[in-house]
Amino acid sequence: MRLVLEKRERRLKRMSLLIPLFSFILSLLIGAIVLAASKADPIQAYVAMAKGAFGNARRFQYTLVEALPLLICGLSVGIAFRLRFWNIGAEGQFVWGAIGVTWVIQFWTFLPDPLLLPAGILVGMIAGALWAGIPGVLKAYWAVDETLTTLMLNYVAIGVAEYLYIKAWKAPKGILGTPEFPEFTQLSQVWGKVHSGVFIALALVVVLWFLLYKTTWGFELNMIGKNPVAARYQGVSIEKSIVIALLISGAIAGLAGSLNTVAITHRLTRGVNAGYGFTGIIIAWMSNLNPFASIIVAIVMASLTTGADALQIAMKLPESMGAVLQGLVLIPLLAGSVFHDYHLKLIREEE
Amino acid sequence: METRERIPVVSMQHITKHFPGVLANDDVSLELYAGEVLALLGENGAGKSTLMNMLVGLYRPDSGSISIRGEVQHIRSPQDSMALGIGMVHQEFMLVGNMSVLENIILGLKDLPVVPDVATIRKKITELSDTYGLQVDPDAIIHNLSVGEQQRVEILKLVYRGAEILILDEPTAVLTPGESRDLNRIIKKMLSQGKSAIFITHKMDEVIEFSHKVQVLRRGKSVNVIDTASVTPRDLANMMVGRDVLFTLDRCAFNPGEPRLRLSHVSVENPLGSRPYLNDISLSIRRGEILGIAGVAGNGQTQLTEVITGLLKASEGSIEIDGKNVTKCTPLQIIQTGVSHIPADRGAMGVVGDMSVGDNLAMKKYRTHELSTGPVVKRSRLRLFADKLIQSFIIKTPNQDTAVKFLSGGNIQKTILAREIDSCGGILIAVYPSRGLDVGATEAVRQNLIAQRDAGSAVLLVSEELDELQMVADTIAVLFEGRIMGIRKVSETNTEELGMMMAGVGGDA
Ligand SMILES: Nc1ncnc2c1ncn2[C@@H]1O[C@H](COP(=O)(O)OP(=O)(O)OP(=O)(O)O)[C@@H](O)[C@H]1O
Ligand SMILES: [Mg+2]
C-alpha cells in the first residue's frame, strides 16, 4: 500500500471552507503537543485563550480593536495581490499614515478644529498612497521587482518615524514620542474600547467589494492578475492599472495607520510599526483576496494575539508561547492550500 | 497481416467520462496495435483529448478499463504511464518557459538523482536528436524557441524517456507547413523503429498519409473504426460532422471601396537580431477586401499585426485608419477605431483561462454601454450577451460560467472568434484563425470572414496555408524577412509564383 497525492480534476467549492477548518483543528492539535511539552494542560490553555479573546464584552472589544488595523491592512494588500503585485510594504505605508496624521494635527493649527481630524486622516492616506506609488511606478514602467522595493521602503519609513518621535517632533518633556493629540482630534468610541473606525472599515469592505467585483476596473484587475498578456491584447493598460491599484492599496494602509494613531495611541511614538502591515499579507492570502472573508480572518488572527496575552497571565507561560501558537496556526493553514488542487489517496497494490 | 490473434499494445474498453455538465466520453473502446498509427478524428469537443488524457493518467475514467500489452493497468499519474512506455505531446504545450531544454527534458523523471549528471544527459540528448533529426540546443531557454522548436523538445522528452507508445494531440496545428513536413518525417522514423502512435488531427491529408486506421468520435461516442486505405478526405469529414462539408465558398464579387487601413513605409527595429522585424512595409486594405498575408512563420507576421494593433511601436513610417494617423495610438485607442484582433496564440494572448466563458466573451465590450453603465458592469446584460454569442457561434460549453480553460482547444478558439467578430467595427485582423478547428468550424470561420468582407469590412488574414488564402482572400501580400515581396490579386497569381516569393525569390522587391 502506498499513499499518493492525486491531482483533483477540479476545485471544489466546499473545500474552500473545509480545508481551513481542518487545518485549524490540526494546528490546535499540534499546539496541544507543544503546550503539553512545556507542562501546561492544553485544554486549560485553550480555554484560557478563548476566554481571553471572547470571554466577556471587554475582552471581545479588545479583540475587535486589534482586528481593525489587521482587516484594513489585509484589504490594502489584497488589492495589490489581485494584480500579482507582491506588495509587502503595507507596514511602511501604515507608518506613513501615522506620520501624515500626526503632522496635520500638530502643525496645521490654522485649520478650524473640526476639520483637523478629517484632514489628518486624508493626509495620512495620501502619504501612504505616495509611499506605495513609488514601487508601483518603478514596477510598471521599469519592471523593477516589487518584493524588494516594497520591503526596503518599510525600513526607510520606520527610520523616518523614529527620527520624528525620538528627535524632531519629540514632546519637550515626558515619555518618548510626540505630544498627545488634543481631545477633539481623537476618534470617538462607540462600544467600550471599540472606536468609530469600525464603521469606516466596514464601509471600506463594501466599497472594495463593489469596486473589485462590479466595476469595469475590477474586471480589468482580474484580467491582468490572471493573464497580463491577454489583458494587453484587449486594450487594457497594465501600467496604469498597477499604479492606480498601488495608490489605492497604499492609501488604505495609510488609513489603517492614521486611524490607529487617532484612536489608540493619540500620538506618534514607539510601536507605530507593530507588524499590522505584515500580518495583513497573511490576511489577504487566507481570505483568498475576498474583502468579506477578510473580516472573519482578521478577527481570528486578532483573537490569537489577545488570547495569547491572556494565556500568559492565566497560565504563567512565557510570553513567546503566544507567538509560537500563532505561528503554529499559520503553517497548516498555508500548507493546507495544496489540498485545493490535490487530494490524498491510499492505493492498494494489486497483482 | 498475421493470421493468429494479435494482442493490442493499448486497449481501452467501454470508457466513460463525465465532467460537470458534459459527457465527454460515452462508452468508447479503442485498440492500438504494435507498429501502427491510429488517427483519432472528431469535431471540436468530441472528446479526443479527454480520452487520451485518461491514457496518460491526467484524468481517470468513471468506468471502463485500460490494458497495456494485454495487462489491465490503473494509470493514475503521468509517471505511471511513462513507466508503461506511454508518452504524450499535448495540444497545449507543457514546457516550463524560463527553464532550459535540458532541464525541461529531465524535469519529472522518477529516478533522477539529487545532483544529475548533466554531461551524460546532454550527451544522450544530442545523440537522440541526431538519431531522429530533432535539432535543438539543449541549453536554449524555452521561451526563446519558436513553436516548432518547442514541439521538438516535447518529442525529445518522450524519446528520452523511452516512450514506445506515442500520443500526439494535434501536433501540427501550430506548425508551419515546412515544420509539419519535418515532424512527419520524424514520426515516420520513430514508427520504423517499432513504436506505435495515436495521432489526433483535423487535417485530412495527414490522416491519409500517416495512419493505418481511423477512428472517429462524435459527441463523446465512437462512431466508426476503418482502414485508412478505404476512405477519402470527404468521407472522413462527413463522418465527423455527420453531414456534407462544403469545400468551396460563396462570396459577392470583389468590389472594394476606399482604403480603411494604410501602412506607409513602416519599419520595426529588432533590438536583438541583425535584420529589422519589419522593413519598409507599405500596404492598404480597402472596404470589402480581404488581404491575405502569406509567408513562412517568423518572417514578420506577428510584428505586422502587433504594429497595426498598437501593441508594438513602429520605429519609422506611419499607419492611418480612415485617413487619420494612428501611429502613436495606444492599443485601446486602436480598438476604439473599430479594429478587432484574433491573435496567433490563443491560450497566451487570446483568453484568460481562469475566467469564465461569459467574461472572456465580454472582454472587448465590457467598457461600452452595451454591457456597462458608467463604471459599473451590468451583469444581467453581460449574461444575455454571452448566451447570445455562445448560441450563434455554436461554442460547446456546459454554460457561460465554465472557466475557458476547461473548453476543448477548438472551442477556446471559437470563443475568441465570437468576441472579435461580434465587436468588429470594420477592420478585422485575423492570425491563423482556423488553427485547431475541425473541418466544420473551419468552414464556418472562413464564411464569417467573407461575410465580414461582404458587409464592407477590411480584413487582414495571416495564414500559412496557401490554399486557405487562395480560397478566402482577394489580394495576397507575401512577407519574407520582414519585407513585402509583392502584392497580387488572387485571380492574377498562382501557387508557384506565391511559393517562390515566400522563399524570397522573384517578386517586385
Ligand atoms: N477539465 C475539464 N473540466 C470540464 N470539462 C472539460 C474538461 N476537459 C474537457 N472538458 C469538456 O469535455 C469535452 C471534450 O473535450 P476535449 O478536450 O476532449 O475535446 P477534443 O475532442 O479534444 O476537442 P478539440 O478538437 O477542440 O481539441 C468538451 O466539451 C470540454 O469542454
Ligand atoms: Mg483536444
Side-chain angles (χ1 to χ4, degrees):
Chain A
M1 279 203 301
R2 62 194 168 118
L3 206 57
V4 293
L5 264 186
E6 243 181 32
K7 195 159 171 43
R8 284 185 202 279
E9 286 170 11
R10 53 184 174 272
R11 279 187 163 219
L12 299 173
K13 270 248 160 64
R14 66 190 138 94
M15 282 296 150
S16 58
L17 207 71
L18 284 178
I19 291 169
L21 205 70
F22 275 119
S23 306
F24 191 67
I25 293 171
L26 184 68
S27 57
L28 290 184
L29 291 177
I30 302 175
I33 297 172
V34 175
L35 284 166
S38 36
K39 309 219 169 14
D41 178 350
I43 296 190
Q44 232 182 324
Y46 284 138
V47 170
M49 274 183 86
K51 272 194 183 154
F54 304 108
N56 55 40
R58 210 169 52 83
R59 303 296 326 177
F60 186 48
Q61 287 160 8
Y62 272 122
T63 302
L64 284 184
V65 167
E66 187 70 12
L68 267 187
L70 290 179
L71 167 62
I72 304 178
C73 286
L75 296 173
S76 153
V77 174
I79 289 206
F81 277 17
R82 279 195 166 252
L83 283 170
R84 310 274 137 122
F85 186 106
W86 307 118
N87 176 17
I88 49 177
E91 186 74 12
Q93 295 140 25
F94 179 98
V95 168
W96 269 104
I99 296 175
V101 77
T102 308
W103 180 50
V104 170
I105 289 177
Q106 292 234 74
F107 300 105
W108 289 26
T109 40
F110 53 86
L111 280 184
D113 288 355
L115 279 186
L116 218 46
L117 179 62
I121 292 178
L122 195 68
V123 170
M125 289 174 73
I126 294 172
L130 294 178
W131 205 242
I134 300 170
V137 169
L138 287 175
K139 163 86 173 197
Y141 295 98
W142 290 284
V144 180
D145 182 65
E146 74 274 15
T147 29
L148 216 61
T149 48
T150 51
L151 182 68
M152 298 311 282
L153 284 173
N154 286 335
Y155 300 110
V156 179
I158 294 168
V160 171
E162 280 173 352
Y163 167 74
L164 292 175
Y165 67 72
I166 293 174
K167 271 195 97 113
W169 292 352
K170 189 187 175 313
K173 56 184 169 48
I175 50 163
L176 197 66
T178 63
E180 185 156 349
F181 297 164
E183 192 115 355
F184 62 85
T185 63
Q186 301 179 1
L187 217 54
S188 58
Q189 295 181 338
V190 290
W191 180 45
K193 279 267 162 210
V194 181
H195 53 84
S196 49
V198 72
F199 299 120
I200 301 179
L202 290 179
L204 192 64
V205 168
V206 177
V207 168
L208 282 182
W209 171 81
F210 187 81
L211 190 70
L212 296 175
Y213 293 90
K214 298 284 159 193
T215 65
T216 52
W217 191 62
F219 192 85
E220 286 175 3
L221 285 196
N222 207 2
M223 283 164 77
I224 298 173
K226 290 176 172 157
N227 184 349
V229 178
R232 218 166 84 78
Y233 273 73
Q234 299 302 313
V236 176
S237 165
I238 297 177
E239 295 80 12
K240 217 165 81 187
S241 278
I242 288 184
V243 173
I244 296 176
L246 262 286
L247 290 177
I248 295 180
S249 170
I252 295 174
L255 173 70
S258 44
L259 283 183
N260 233 44
T261 310
V262 290
I264 311 290
T265 59
H266 306 310
R267 56 149 68 84
L268 184 65
T269 181
R270 171 171 293 154
V272 57
N273 53 317
Y276 294 122
F278 289 125
T279 314
I281 298 170
I282 295 161
I283 290 170
W285 198 251
M286 292 201 322
S287 63
N288 205 5
L289 310 187
N290 180 318
F292 284 107
S294 304
I295 301 178
I296 298 169
V297 179
I299 292 177
V300 171
M301 291 302 294
S303 71
L304 288 173
T305 309
T306 48
D309 290 343
L311 184 69
Q312 199 184 316
I313 297 160
M315 311 277 300
K316 308 273 178 308
L317 282 169
E319 196 185 336
S320 51
M321 186 54 81
V324 170
L325 289 179
Q326 272 190 44
L328 280 178
V329 175
L330 291 180
I331 295 169
L333 274 177
L334 296 178
S337 59
V338 70
F339 293 104
H340 285 295
D341 292 315
Y342 291 86
H343 62 135
L344 274 176
K345 190 153 190 171
L346 199 62
I347 293 177
R348 271 179 255 289
E349 303 291 346
E350 290 132 300
E351 278 310 296
Chain B
M1 275 283 149
E2 295 173 44
T3 41
R4 69 187 160 86
E5 183 116 355
R6 290 186 305 158
I7 296 173
V9 281
V10 174
S11 162
M12 302 179 85
Q13 295 300 325
H14 306 292
I15 301 282
T16 296
K17 177 72 187 171
H18 285 268
F19 288 117
V22 196
L23 181 55
N25 287 143
D26 182 4
D27 192 24
V28 178
S29 298
L30 172 151
E31 279 164 5
L32 173 73
Y33 291 89
E36 238 183 38
V37 177
L38 174 70
L40 196 54
L41 289 192
E43 285 182 282
N44 296 127
K48 308 178 292 290
S49 301
T50 304
L51 189 64
M52 291 303 106
N53 281 334
M54 287 188 277
L55 197 49
V56 293
L58 283 176
Y59 297 145
R60 278 160 303 280
D62 298 341
S63 61
S65 67
I66 300 175
S67 318
I68 307 298
R69 298 182 195 90
E71 280 179 40
V72 176
Q73 299 287 352
H74 296 269
I75 304 172
R76 293 170 196 278
S77 69
Q79 273 89 354
D80 289 355
S81 73
M82 207 196 301
L84 293 166
I86 306 172
M88 176 159 173
V89 174
H90 292 268
Q91 198 169 0
E92 318 288 334
F93 294 164
M94 305 227 171
L95 299 171
V96 184
N98 51 9
M99 287 170 73
S100 74
V101 171
L102 187 145
E103 287 165 331
N104 266 282
I105 288 174
I106 60 175
L107 199 72
L109 280 184
K110 220 173 190 172
D111 44 6
L112 196 67
V114 181
V115 184
D117 177 2
V118 176
T120 318
I121 295 169
R122 183 173 293 126
K123 195 156 149 271
K124 188 169 165 198
I125 291 178
T126 321
E127 276 170 22
L128 284 172
S129 35
D130 288 347
T131 319
Y132 293 102
L134 288 159
Q135 271 72 33
V136 272
D137 170 10
D139 297 307
I141 303 297
I142 295 294
H143 61 216
N144 293 336
L145 298 182
S146 74
V147 191
E149 288 168 314
Q150 293 190 19
Q151 178 81 274
R152 275 180 235 153
V153 179
E154 288 279 15
I155 295 174
L156 256 182
K157 219 161 96 179
L158 299 194
V159 289
Y160 187 93
R161 291 159 190 215
E164 289 296 316
I165 302 164
L166 307 171
I167 302 169
L168 306 162
D169 194 350
E170 298 191 36
T172 55
V174 292
L175 299 186
T176 65
E179 286 172 330
S180 302
R181 273 192 297 279
D182 282 348
L183 179 73
N184 293 350
R185 194 177 37 71
I186 293 163
I187 295 174
K188 283 203 172 124
K189 177 114 193 180
M190 299 210 277
L191 293 174
S192 72
Q193 306 197 328
K195 298 186 195 299
S196 10
I198 300 177
F199 192 89
I200 301 179
T201 182
H202 291 294
K203 297 179 185 168
M204 298 306 146
D205 43 339
E206 287 177 352
V207 176
I208 305 279
E209 186 184 343
F210 271 119
S211 62
H212 304 96
K213 274 194 200 139
V214 189
Q215 177 155 11
V216 182
L217 295 188
R218 199 193 304 155
R219 295 194 199 109
K221 283 199 178 66
S222 176
V223 291
N224 224 335
V225 188
I226 30 178
D227 283 334
T228 310
S230 65
V231 287
T232 65
R234 198 169 276 272
D235 298 337
L236 290 174
N238 195 318
M239 270 186 263
M240 273 169 60
V241 189
R243 63 174 167 86
D244 271 330
V245 178
L246 309 167
F247 284 98
T248 54
L249 298 163
D250 287 336
R251 64 201 303 166
C252 305
F254 181 42
N255 181 19
E258 75 277 18
R260 291 219 58 188
L261 175 71
R262 187 198 294 278
L263 275 69
S264 319
H265 306 291
V266 170
S267 295
V268 173
E269 292 303 329
N270 176 359
L272 303 172
S274 51
R275 68 171 169 84
Y277 284 129
L278 294 178
N279 189 350
D280 194 28
I281 301 277
S282 295
L283 56 82
S284 73
I285 313 176
R286 292 161 288 182
R287 247 177 227 293
E289 176 179 12
I290 298 181
L291 173 69
I293 301 289
V296 177
N299 277 290
Q301 289 91 330
T302 324
Q303 287 77 15
L304 177 64
T305 54
E306 291 193 346
V307 84
I308 295 173
T309 47
L311 294 159
L312 194 67
K313 289 295 159 230
S315 30
E316 262 165 76
S318 70
I319 303 167
E320 281 171 26
I321 290 176
D322 295 327
K324 273 204 278 315
N325 190 330
V326 296
T327 320
K328 298 222 151 55
C329 287
T330 63
L332 181 59
Q333 288 167 325
I334 305 264
I335 288 170
Q336 284 162 347
T337 63
V339 175
S340 271
H341 182 193
I342 299 162
D345 184 342
R346 59 173 171 248
M349 312 162 177
V351 289
V352 180
D354 285 322
M355 287 174 78
S356 69
V357 175
D359 282 355
N360 272 280
L361 286 169
M363 277 177 190
K364 273 265 149 60
K365 282 200 168 164
Y366 68 91
R367 36 172 121 75
T368 65
H369 25 251
E370 196 174 331
L371 301 183
S372 54
T373 311
V376 182
V377 177
K378 288 290 173 203
R379 275 286 150 188
S380 52
R381 274 188 250 159
L382 191 150
R383 298 194 70 84
L384 284 177
F385 166 81
D387 277 333
K388 196 187 75 197
L389 286 190
I390 289 172
Q391 258 177 23
S392 58
F393 284 83
I394 320 175
I395 300 169
K396 269 190 209 140
T397 173
N399 56 53
Q400 62 163 287
D401 300 305
T402 308
V404 158
K405 67 174 177 198
F406 291 134
L407 298 196
S408 79
N411 282 294
I412 294 179
Q413 182 72 350
K414 284 191 194 173
T415 305
I416 300 172
L417 274 164
R419 177 183 71 212
E420 298 300 328
I421 287 182
D422 166 78
S423 67
C424 181
I427 300 176
L428 178 61
I429 314 285
V431 190
Y432 318 128
S434 53
R435 191 178 256 185
L437 294 187
D438 63 48
V439 278
T442 301
E443 174 196 18
V445 167
R446 291 174 181 168
Q447 267 168 354
N448 262 309
L449 292 180
I450 289 173
Q452 285 290 317
R453 157 200 184 266
D454 289 348
S457 291
V459 181
L460 181 87
L461 170 65
V462 178
S463 175
E464 278 153 353
E465 290 171 48
L466 274 184
D467 354 341
E468 175 169 69
L469 288 174
Q470 285 171 313
M471 193 187 310
V472 178
D474 301 300
T475 328
I476 296 181
V478 182
L479 264 188
F480 177 74
E481 297 196 336
R483 280 174 305 129
I484 288 188
M485 297 298 290
I487 301 183
R488 298 282 185 275
K489 272 199 177 152
V490 171
S491 52
E492 292 166 6
T493 185
N494 54 43
T495 313
E496 286 68 43
E497 189 190 21
L498 293 171
M500 295 281 274
M501 289 198 282
M502 282 168 66
V505 185
D508 320 322

